[in-house]
Amino acid sequence: MAVEEQVVSIFAGTRGFIDKIAIPAVTRFEASMLSELKARAPQILQSIRDKRELTPETEKELAAFLGTFAGTFA
């Protein structure tokens, strides 16, 4: 897994975006989240990859993306 994908996965876990996901579904959530992120907001991953950090702007954009995604994950 690429470093920027690891950053996103850790962010999702530490910021509570997977708190309501059943443990058996966490792997599916992560795979779906990364797939959706690559398709809908690749600039987030690109920013993390290029800048080698999670800037406040990217963090805000990522949190918004995850909030929407986690709310629609079934």
Side-chain angles (χ1 to χ4, degrees), residues 15-28:
R15 298 296 173 97
F17 291 102
I18 63 170
D19 287 355
K20 295 181 181 179
I21 306 299
I23 292 172
V26 170
T27 303
R28 187 170 55 87

Side-chain angles (χ1 to χ4, degrees), residues 2-67:
V3 172
E4 61 272 16
E5 293 175 5
Q6 292 177 44
V7 169
V8 170
S9 294
I10 292 168
F11 183 91
T14 60
R15 298 296 173 97
F17 291 102
I18 63 170
D19 287 355
K20 295 181 181 179
I21 306 299
I23 292 172
V26 170
T27 303
R28 187 170 55 87
F29 175 89
E30 181 183 34
S32 296
M33 171 194 67
L34 291 172
S35 177
E36 193 76 12
L37 185 61
K38 289 174 187 175
R40 297 188 183 266
Q43 72 279 5
I44 294 172
L45 293 170
Q46 186 70 41
S47 174
I48 297 168
R49 183 174 37 253
D50 291 348
K51 296 176 182 175
R52 297 181 179 217
E53 68 175 317
L54 189 56
T55 65
E57 297 82 20
T58 303
E59 184 175 338
K60 183 177 178 181
E61 193 175 0
L62 178 56
F65 170 83
L66 289 171

